[in-house]
Structure formats: structure tokens, C-alpha cells
């Protein structure tokens, strides 16, 4: 099954494919361990910064080796790559999935650049899945002390979404529906009616992606999936667990210098959080 096949299955069956970000081998190990235990597919993302740190070709090789060793459906995504050239480099490096995010550009330029990436990606790899983004997504993947207000004009307009999908021929759309990146001082309030409205306006073969999955109350996540979200991104909550567990271990064991002894408790702590999310998204036992 291709990644797009997994998205179709998720939409048909009413669950969401987990998209989890990595910038270390330990994060990936934790994700693979949980996905194996729970029989869940995995969509692994690297943002631009994460990909620069790990190396695109190294990420591709890592994902491929885990896929071969475990037999898990595990796919690599270029998360929020912000320009056409960078997205093309991810295609060339062998990414299974591309997210080209030109949502800060004027609408027509967003269409033009996204379409160019879709055409390039599909010409190189027929099975690739490409995502575009529409709307103004605030925040970043960290704990933010301030209140982040989402304005009505930040949100994705369903009519624009239809035009955007039709002209770009993307496989997945990332809308702004009250979500934001990271954890803010205020609780997000997803506009579920807008999710449902965008969902019914788009053809079934186009996936709806919820970014900024951290900090959203579980009940809102369930409602969003019911309304047609079939792919959910989480980064910050896993980063927080990683950093807290690492800090705790090195503080309590100041003499320990062996990485493979320092990091297993960190992996274990992340596994708990990842398991929570995979269960919440309903992707357990779907393989
Ligand atoms: P969070 O950091 O809020 O979980 O969002 C991650 C994300 O959307 C990556 O694309």
C-alpha cells in the first residue's frame, strides 16, 4: 500500500495516520517500537531544521532501514518545507511524502509553487504523496508562554480550498481551523464545522491534515477526526518529554557518560506519550 492508500483507508474507516517529527535516532526508535507493538502505520516528519540537522539522505536511509527490518508501513515527510527548491531536493533525496508550505505567499503564488512541486514530485515518483497548505498557521513547535490569538482571516476558506486543490492537484491539504504550532498559554478551540465544511467540499482522495496536534484536548481531536481529519501532526509534546526525561536522567546520574545508557529511559518516556497519541488517533491494529 502506498502512503496515499493508507490515507484513503484512514478516511474510510474514521481514524488518522499519526505524523510524528524527529530530529534524533532516539525519537525514531521510540516511534517504531510503539508502532510495532500497536500495529500502526507511521508518517515520520522532518521540518527544514530537523532535516538540516540529520541530513536528508541520512533520514531516507534510516526510514528505509527500519521499514525493511520491521515490515512496518513507515513513510518520510518533508514537513513545512518553505520553498520549491528545498522541496525538490527532498524528492531527489528519496522522501516518500512532501509538504510544500507556501501559505505565507499570496494565494496565486502559493498555487503556482505548490503545483510546480506536485508536477516535479509525481514525475520522479508516482507513489509520492504531496501536501499543500492554505491559511495562516501561528506558533512554533515549543512551549510558548504567551496567549496566541487566531484571527478569523487566518482560517482556511472552504471555497479557496476547493480552487487550491483543483489547481495544484495535491494529495493532502493542511488547513488552518483554529490549530496552532506548539503549546500556547491558551487552549486551542478547533472550528469543527469548518473542518466538516472543507471535508465535504473536497474529493475523497484528498486528505485533510491537522497540524499543531500538541496541546489540543483529546475530545477536540476525536471531533476533528469524526469531521474528516485523517492525518495528525505532533511534535512539541514529544520534544517536551524528551527534554524532561533527559534532564532528569543526567541530573540524577551525573557520572554516567555512555549514550546508550543515558538514552534508553528517554526512549521509554517518549514511548508512553507516543502510545497515548496513536491510541487517540485510532490507528491501532490497522495493519
Ligand atoms: P506541534 O508542535 O504543535 O505538535 O505541531 C507539529 C506540527 O504540526 C508539525 O508539522
Amino acid at each position: 500500500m502506498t502512503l496515499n492508500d493508507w490515507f484513503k483507508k484512514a478516511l474510510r474507516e474514521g481514524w488518522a495516520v499519526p505524523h510524528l517529527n524527529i530530529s534524533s535516532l532516539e525519537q525514531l526508535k521510540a516511534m517504531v517500537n510503539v508502532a510495532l507493538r500497536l500495529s500502526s502505520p507511521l508518517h515520520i516528519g522532518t521540518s527544514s531544521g530537523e532535516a538540516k540537522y540529520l541530513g536528508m539522505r541520512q533520514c531516507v536511509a534510516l526510514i528505509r532501514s527500519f521499514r525493511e527490518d520491521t515490515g512496518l508501513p513507515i513513510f518520510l515527510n518533508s514537513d513545512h518545507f518553505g520553498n520549491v527548491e528545498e522541496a525538490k531536493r527532498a524528492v531527489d533525496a528519496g522522501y516518500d511524502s512532501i509538504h510544500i508550505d507556501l501559505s505565507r505567499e499570496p494565494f496565486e503564488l502559493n498555487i503556482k509553487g505548490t503545483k510546480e512541486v506536485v508536477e516535479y514530485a509525481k514525475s520522479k515518483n508516482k507513489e509520492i504523496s504531496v501536501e499543500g497548505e492554505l491559511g495562516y498557521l501561528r506558533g512554533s513547535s515549543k512551549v510558548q508562554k504567551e496567549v496566541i490569538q487566531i484571527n478569523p482571516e487566518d482560517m482556511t476558506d472552504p471555497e479557496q480550498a476547493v480552487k487550491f486543490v483543483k489547481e495544484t492537484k495535491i494529495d493532502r491539504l493542511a488547513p488552518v481551523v483554529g490549530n496552532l504550532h506548539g503549546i500556547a498559554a491558551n487552549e486551542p478551540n478547533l472550528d469543527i464545522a469548518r473542518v466538516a465544511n472543507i471535508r465535504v467540499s473536497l474529493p475523497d482522495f484528498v486528505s485533510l491534515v491537522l497540524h499543531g496536534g500538541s496541546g489540543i484536548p483529546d475530545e477536540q481531536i476525536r471531533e476533528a477526526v469524526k469531521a474528516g481529519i485523517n492525518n495528525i501532526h505532533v511534535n512539541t509534546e514529544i520534544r517536551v518529554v524528551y527534554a524532561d526525561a533527559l534532564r532528569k536522567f543526567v541530573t540524577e546520574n551525573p557520572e554516567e557518560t555512555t549514550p546508550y545508557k543515558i538514552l534508553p529511559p528517554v526512549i521509554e518516556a517518549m514511548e508512553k506519550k507516543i502510545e497515548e497519541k496513536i491510541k487517540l488517533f485510532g490507528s491501532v491494529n490497522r495493519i
Side-chain angles (χ1 to χ4, degrees):
M1 274 169 77
T2 65
L3 178 58
N4 283 330
D5 292 333
W6 282 101
F7 288 132
K8 279 180 212 147
K9 178 174 159 71
L11 186 62
R12 219 173 35 239
E13 296 174 355
W15 52 280
V17 176
H19 176 290
L20 309 172
N21 286 69
I22 60 161
S23 49
S24 81
L25 175 62
E26 287 71 34
Q27 288 174 300
L28 182 57
K29 279 168 89 88
M31 290 160 193
V32 169
N33 289 345
V34 177
L36 268 177
R37 270 204 304 274
L38 301 184
S39 268
S40 168
L42 273 182
H43 194 197
I44 300 293
T46 60
S47 66
S48 210
E50 288 165 334
K52 277 198 189 92
Y53 174 71
L54 285 173
M56 282 195 213
R57 276 167 39 77
Q58 287 68 29
C59 289
V60 169
L62 260 180
I63 295 294
R64 193 170 290 160
S65 68
F66 276 107
R67 184 160 52 209
E68 285 169 4
D69 283 1
T70 62
L72 272 177
I74 161 170
F75 302 93
L76 181 63
N77 181 45
S78 71
D79 189 30
H80 294 285
F81 276 28
N83 67 69
V84 169
E85 291 318 309
E86 194 187 26
K88 286 182 178 176
R89 279 202 300 280
V91 174
D92 293 341
Y95 274 59
D96 311 291
S97 165
I98 301 293
H99 173 203
I100 172 72
D101 179 3
L102 303 177
S103 57
R104 295 290 196 266
E105 301 281 349
F107 185 55
E108 290 303 330
L109 287 181
N110 187 357
I111 289 181
K112 185 169 177 283
T114 303
K115 187 169 179 236
E116 186 179 337
V117 172
V118 171
E119 285 168 1
Y120 184 82
K122 304 273 175 185
S123 76
K124 298 276 172 170
N125 173 1
K126 282 193 189 52
E127 294 192 351
I128 207 164
S129 175
V130 185
E131 173 180 345
E133 180 151 338
L134 196 58
Y136 192 90
L137 189 65
R138 294 178 185 271
S140 62
S141 285
K142 57 184 185 181
V143 179
Q144 297 147 122
K145 300 256 182 300
E146 68 273 23
V147 168
I148 298 182
Q149 212 57 54
I150 299 165
N151 303 323
E153 61 272 22
D154 297 342
M155 303 267 216
T156 305
D157 169 48
E159 267 175 44
Q160 262 200 344
V162 170
K163 183 168 169 11
F164 185 70
V165 165
K166 206 167 166 196
E167 296 202 10
T168 58
K169 299 200 165 49
I170 47 171
D171 302 294
R172 323 191 298 270
L173 175 72
V176 177
V177 290
N179 47 330
L180 55 86
H181 274 142
I183 298 171
N186 51 324
E187 192 170 275
N189 186 16
L190 295 186
D191 183 346
I192 300 296
R194 188 178 297 263
V195 174
N197 195 347
I198 296 172
R199 181 64 275 166
V200 297
S201 311
L202 298 179
D204 276 357
F205 54 83
V206 176
S207 291
L208 261 194
V209 185
L210 183 69
H211 282 259
S214 294
I216 299 177
D218 290 0
E219 201 36 49
Q220 289 192 39
I221 293 280
R222 285 191 202 99
E223 290 299 317
V225 172
K226 259 191 227 152
I229 291 288
N230 60 337
N231 186 205
I232 305 178
H233 285 226
V234 178
N235 194 352
T236 307
E237 284 193 44
I238 300 167
R239 286 180 171 183
V240 169
V241 171
Y242 171 94
D244 287 349
L246 184 58
R247 255 191 295 270
K248 181 170 184 290
F249 186 88
V250 294
T251 307
E252 288 172 0
N253 301 274
E255 307 292 324
E256 187 54 73
T257 56
T258 304
Y260 68 74
K261 292 185 179 163
I262 293 173
L263 291 160
V266 179
I267 294 176
E268 207 177 300
M270 286 189 289
E271 283 182 16
K272 287 201 189 91
K273 175 58 71 183
I274 293 159
E275 185 168 327
E276 218 178 83
K277 295 297 175 188
I278 286 184
K279 286 182 174 164
L280 175 63
F281 302 164
S283 66
V284 177
N285 284 332
R286 299 291 181 176
I287 298 176

